[in-house]
Amino acid sequence: MKKKPIRHRKSNASKKAGLPPGSITYIGKERSEAAILEMISYNPQELSKVKYDTCAELHKYMQPNSVNWINVDGIHNYQLINEFHDIFKLDNLLLEDVSNTNQRPKVEEYENYLFLSLKMLRYDEVEKTIDSEQISLVLSKDYVISFQEKTGDVFGHIRERIEAPKGQIRSKKNDYLFYSLIDSIVDNYFIAIENIGNDLEDLEDEIFNDPSQKSLQKIHAYKNVLLVLRRSIYPLRESVNKLLRDNDKFISPRNIKYFNDVHDHTIQIIDILESYRDVVSGLKDSYLSSLSLKMNQVMQVLTIMATIFIPLTFIAGIYGMNFETIPELKWEYGYYYFWAISIAIGIGLLFYFKKKKWL
Amino acid sequence: MKKKPIRHRKSNASKKAGLPPGSITYIGKERSEAAILEMISYNPQELSKVKYDTCAELHKYMQPNSVNWINVDGIHNYQLINEFHDIFKLDNLLLEDVSNTNQRPKVEEYENYLFLSLKMLRYDEVEKTIDSEQISLVLSKDYVISFQEKTGDVFGHIRERIEAPKGQIRSKKNDYLFYSLIDSIVDNYFIAIENIGNDLEDLEDEIFNDPSQKSLQKIHAYKNVLLVLRRSIYPLRESVNKLLRDNDKFISPRNIKYFNDVHDHTIQIIDILESYRDVVSGLKDSYLSSLSLKMNQVMQVLTIMATIFIPLTFIAGIYGMNFETIPELKWEYGYYYFWAISIAIGIGLLFYFKKKKWL
Amino acid sequence: MKKKPIRHRKSNASKKAGLPPGSITYIGKERSEAAILEMISYNPQELSKVKYDTCAELHKYMQPNSVNWINVDGIHNYQLINEFHDIFKLDNLLLEDVSNTNQRPKVEEYENYLFLSLKMLRYDEVEKTIDSEQISLVLSKDYVISFQEKTGDVFGHIRERIEAPKGQIRSKKNDYLFYSLIDSIVDNYFIAIENIGNDLEDLEDEIFNDPSQKSLQKIHAYKNVLLVLRRSIYPLRESVNKLLRDNDKFISPRNIKYFNDVHDHTIQIIDILESYRDVVSGLKDSYLSSLSLKMNQVMQVLTIMATIFIPLTFIAGIYGMNFETIPELKWEYGYYYFWAISIAIGIGLLFYFKKKKWL
Amino acid sequence: MKKKPIRHRKSNASKKAGLPPGSITYIGKERSEAAILEMISYNPQELSKVKYDTCAELHKYMQPNSVNWINVDGIHNYQLINEFHDIFKLDNLLLEDVSNTNQRPKVEEYENYLFLSLKMLRYDEVEKTIDSEQISLVLSKDYVISFQEKTGDVFGHIRERIEAPKGQIRSKKNDYLFYSLIDSIVDNYFIAIENIGNDLEDLEDEIFNDPSQKSLQKIHAYKNVLLVLRRSIYPLRESVNKLLRDNDKFISPRNIKYFNDVHDHTIQIIDILESYRDVVSGLKDSYLSSLSLKMNQVMQVLTIMATIFIPLTFIAGIYGMNFETIPELKWEYGYYYFWAISIAIGIGLLFYFKKKKWL
Amino acid sequence: MKKKPIRHRKSNASKKAGLPPGSITYIGKERSEAAILEMISYNPQELSKVKYDTCAELHKYMQPNSVNWINVDGIHNYQLINEFHDIFKLDNLLLEDVSNTNQRPKVEEYENYLFLSLKMLRYDEVEKTIDSEQISLVLSKDYVISFQEKTGDVFGHIRERIEAPKGQIRSKKNDYLFYSLIDSIVDNYFIAIENIGNDLEDLEDEIFNDPSQKSLQKIHAYKNVLLVLRRSIYPLRESVNKLLRDNDKFISPRNIKYFNDVHDHTIQIIDILESYRDVVSGLKDSYLSSLSLKMNQVMQVLTIMATIFIPLTFIAGIYGMNFETIPELKWEYGYYYFWAISIAIGIGLLFYFKKKKWL
């Protein structure tokens, strides 16, 4: 069975067609789990963690002098997302982008907050597919909100660093947390692309040694995986670049260097990505060449066999004829003479092929 | 029979050659239906709908404090189009563009109105073709005019939203209606491209499993469909971008964010489009590789059969010769000795092919 | 015989090497016809037409308050071209460009006139070649000069419109005539490209149904035709764009919109051109795939026939052997048993090929 | 034997590695000829020509009110080049570039002179190779120096024009001579590219009619020749463009138009070059297609012959069997019946192939 | 066994994921050698060389009026690298880049020093691989630090020039040393690329004469080698360009020309690199064409042999039949008549193939 490497946007974009702008419509896979709202508030001295079902409750517990990180697990819950409009005053167009799992990575500055939409990518090594998840981050003076499409994330390290009482992150502000979340996602791109790199080397071996229908499908699959990565990382680089250019409102100048670092990372990923695309396209050519080479070898075997035995069979056919007067048939050494001729022809042709380097 | 995926501009551009500028000439398919003029006027309180045959009549019923949306169905009617010059004072060059169904999407600012020409695309899932229709929009302080080439459109949702007494659209002005029309058309591009995406996956399966002449024609057809999409969406993005840059006259600053949203959508469509183009070009390579692979398999079968049986047939030929002195023929177990040799050669060659991985 | 689709610059560029700048050297095909000088002078009231052999005579008849359109047919006449330097004070470098039929389209502003060099293209539908002709236009306050390489042009419509007493063109100035000439040439590009489009569709059918050596040559020819178009239209777009940017001296602001229109047309031609280039390159791939597919079919027929009959012939060979002791030969139903085995093998192999989808 | 179309930079770049900057090291082919120093001094009235072995001697004869053109033939002479530093005060980095035959074309403005490095290209029509020579030009208020790598140049026309007492060049200054030298070199590019164009047409014929291993090598060779041209002409265009932008110091405004002309020529060469690159890449595809087509024809012949005769041979084999009971063998007209069947099968298959368009 | 031409980033990027920014983590190959710290201090009069194990010791011996070049061999020593933060006050983000062997070449200006990260490349001629090493340079008013990943470098020439008492370098400052280090690395790129060029020519010969599986792997390997070079040299050019633009703080204006020279070299390397990429991609096509051509020849041999002998064998088969009434068998010259027919058919077919140019 063919494994689909990636469903090309097998989304339900059509669900959205015809709706007025600002309509919050979840278009990803159907999900039934309850959404989870979690808030970590911290400053150098204190740390608190709360979990609630509604924004309203959560909002009460926000700490004025702390970094408030609100993590939302499950953007499929229409009502919950809507609450952010009511309670956090987030713009409806922004929330539409949050729940639109096809959203292209982008950054947008609103009056009171900064919005960044990006993709969390995980490479499934068994299925050789990219598992893509929509992440939206909102940075304001008072809080950082992260909206996640699916349960499970790559923020474990950050939570640990926050919980460590003397972690550098504890003494930093919202913008640093915002950076840390982005950095953590981008770091995961490196892992994904490193795995793809290893897989590509194995595929290269396979193609040179034993090219098959399956190799072809794999090439196709990797090509698509790299296309998906590409569609995630290029707009992300643009977004980070835009952050760097117009950053004075929500990001303190001292922390610009961190975002610069993320920007460097995105460029590096793009570099690697582009060379992998070159590699994949080279593999496709190699595959075709490998097939051609194999065909050449097959044809040479056939041609050698046929060319040697077809004339010999003809000669044997001659002396199998029933003409009444075939003088050779009556010779005493006729049969041996036949063998002599046959072997001479055979050896002659073998030398000919040797000279032609077919052997 | 081959289905033509798309007539590459099989238009009658030559009809226009040599005419002075501003000549209103319909160059699309011949149409005989009467053109339809319809006007919806609305404000938060009121809503009226009228249908007339001439501009003159319609013009009388325009509501000064309402949004007047005039929809023209049928740009092939030369006289009707001409009336817009006389009554609405639209420039002749503009009306030439309206009736030129080959017009490239563009935006142009005139003194009293803004002109946007774009394409409405529908993907015909059965014929696998793009059905392209020329739409021209004119936005002035007093009205929005939409010129359509064919009957039937994608504005049904907008009409419903206007008719709903408390719809957001009712409280908004001309520019919002103008935006809604564009948005509606762009949303339809998503549906078209989503369908193409699904078709491409099916085609991928077909090519890997059973590549045929038909698959090749399909690849060619999709390539052309994407070319048509491309020629529609790139200039549209430029046009929307131009709207965003120089917008102060006809679009209120509060509504800029909506046009921004449309711009984002066009970029997203271009992103997907470009990856589909990559996918299609990959499919072409896969098709060729699939053919090569199949050929290899065919040749291997031939070579194995021929290589095994050609020497055996030669041996059989030998003992069919009529030499008087073939000693083997007189041996008691000559026949069995023949079989022994034949089977040994056959098995030997099978092992050889096994080792070469041809089996 | 192979038809040469286009002579790639089979010019005599070497004639020019080593000459000092400003040397007026005609490098096109040798021509012996006399050059023709024609002047049409018109204003809303009057119209006159004169034909002379020398500039000197012509110059006397120029009307001060009219548009004077001087059309020169035959740039191969060195002396005539030189007269323009003496009498109209045209720069020698300009006249060098006029007589250089390899001149790349360009626009240049001199102190007293504007110079535009472009290509008139006609698509020869029988020979499938582009017939390219060098046209140079000079616009000054007092006259418009058009230099043509060959007899016959695409300005017939313009002459008719000038001769019509109430034509719009009669009430306009030099710059409008200048525009009309350019527009007329660009409109002809549309016709050329439309014809190519139709031919490409026919070629597509041919390639899918019966690919031959001739199809390959046609693909190659169209590729070259599009290359020639490309080398004419891209610099023309640049030139028109330059006209639009720096136009205040010779073109009145009221007429800018016409040049804008020409600019739009050049962009549209480029759009179509580029998609045709894509189509042609797709055809080349399709051609190769078509060949591969056909080869596959040929090989399958061969393989099926050979695979079925080679073993059967071997069996027939066995029973043609002259061993004294072949038990089967003595069986009563030996011959029928032979047929039974042969037919069983044949049917078995047919089923095998059926299963492999080779039949 | 394969002719190497071009030695890809088979230079001795490694000789230079590790040397301090400004080290004058000749890295071209070893040459033993003495270098030649020649100076032509001219003004409208006077003309003198001197030849010396050292700069010191030459320097004395420079005419203050004349154009002094110093031509150096042989940059392999380290001492001579070094003298230019001592006597003409040329910068060591400049002289390093002069003697570095791998120098990329570039222009550099020093305080007292302008330096332009470019390539003189000659197309060897017999060997189908580009003969590339490093030329460096230095323009100061007092002199023009041209450094040549090899004996023989393309400046013959210029020398003739200088020697003609009333030549335009005699009345012009240093900058015009500087322009003339550049123009002369660029004109030679046209000749080279025109020859390549003619060769490409012949190659096209060859590929369509009789594609061989040699054609493939030619394609490869032309591709490399065009690559070399490309690496020479692109930086030259940049350099001339830079001259045009920042020209006030050494080039008089009146002569700018000449440099503009050279710039136009470089663009035109690039245009032709790029279409030739397209043509060459098209030839490669055509070559492959031609091979495929030929293979198809070969396979069809084989398949037709084999498909017709293999079953017939089987039938003949049947009646060559020695079964005691083959009824047909005893029929009176058995032999004619065999022929009837054979001919029927043969003709039937011929019709089948006819229908399949293989004949 | 296949030699891996290059390990595509087989690094341990994942080691870094989740760590806070500024974490100094060596991700290259495990190394156990002790790191080496060496300092050369020189001015026109004096020269001293010291080797220490810790920064602290070294720091004491820095000469205030000398150029202090500190060379660190071994960035895998975490503690040593950390000392540079403590003693030389280098930023932690900078040191993170120093120890990250995957760092993309970049330049960064800090308040007190300039940081440049680049790659030292060596082409291993036996293994046909690029050996890439991470080099980081820090330029401050007081010192130049070079961090190397591996033992052994390309700075031998520089050390010699420093040790020569009258070397130009001795009279220059820090910035000149900084330039010399960069120049030395870039010069080595020339050697690498020159070697690749020579190898490519050999490969070209191989492909035209005897294309094999190994040639294909070599093409693939060179393609990857060029990709690696590309990923090193493009960002390096950008970095040097950035140095040239914003250079006033650490580089004296007098020395800008040297950096300009390095910039020219990087552009030249890129030029050569890009043409080699073209050459390699041409080789791939040539390889495929070579295979096709060889296949054609193989098939022609097969077809000629089969086409000649298959009908002859059929005829021989006819007269081997046992029909009782085959009249020819009884003719006196039947056998000779058979030979006459056979030879006539054979010669006829040979002429046919001759005419088809298959022989």
Side-chain angles (χ1 to χ4, degrees), chain A residues 31-60:
Chain A
R31 290 184 55 195
S32 56
E33 309 95 292
I36 299 166
L37 260 175
E38 190 185 37
M39 182 166 71
I40 302 180
S41 307
Y42 63 86
N43 58 29
Q45 287 77 40
E46 291 168 355
L47 173 77
S48 74
K49 249 182 168 177
V50 292
K51 256 187 208 189
Y52 285 102
D53 285 343
T54 65
C55 271
E57 289 173 284
L58 196 83
H59 195 255
K60 288 184 232 155

Side-chain angles (χ1 to χ4, degrees), chain A residues 152-185:
Chain A
D153 57 35
V154 297
F155 299 150
H157 284 283
I158 297 175
R159 289 198 189 85
E160 282 169 24
R161 276 153 55 197
I162 290 175
E163 282 164 23
K166 310 214 162 213
Q168 190 189 18
I169 200 169
R170 284 283 283 276
S171 59
K172 302 262 187 177
K173 294 292 175 201
N174 279 341
D175 53 352
Y176 188 83
L177 174 62
F178 184 66
Y179 148 73
S180 298
L181 295 173
I182 302 170
D183 187 50
S184 185
I185 290 166

Side-chain angles (χ1 to χ4, degrees), chain A residues 7 102 213 295 299 319, chain B residues 201 208 268 295 299 322:
Chain A
R7 305 302 298 179
N102 291 329
Q213 178 80 352
M295 172 92 97
M299 291 311 300
Y319 299 114
Chain B
E201 285 190 34
F208 281 124
Q268 201 166 342
M295 173 92 97
M299 292 311 300
N322 299 319

Side-chain angles (χ1 to χ4, degrees), chain B residues 206-247:
Chain B
E206 185 183 318
I207 283 169
F208 281 124
N209 294 323
D210 184 22
S212 69
Q213 177 80 356
K214 242 176 96 187
S215 328
L216 183 58
Q217 285 176 357
K218 277 189 201 163
I219 294 171
H220 201 74
Y222 285 116
K223 215 185 144 209
N224 286 341
V225 161
L226 293 174
L227 272 178
V228 171
L229 259 170
R230 205 168 186 240
R231 267 165 54 196
S232 302
I233 189 77
Y234 270 92
L236 179 57
R237 186 197 51 176
E238 281 170 46
S239 301
V240 176
N241 197 27
K242 212 172 152 194
L243 272 185
L244 283 172
R245 278 201 321 271
D246 324 315
N247 48 53

Side-chain angles (χ1 to χ4, degrees), chain E residues 3-21:
Chain E
K3 276 174 292 172
K4 299 264 156 112
I6 193 129
R7 304 303 299 178
H8 323 298
R9 266 185 60 86
K10 186 84 174 194
S11 63
N12 306 310
S14 38
K15 273 193 196 168
K16 284 186 70 72
L19 293 182

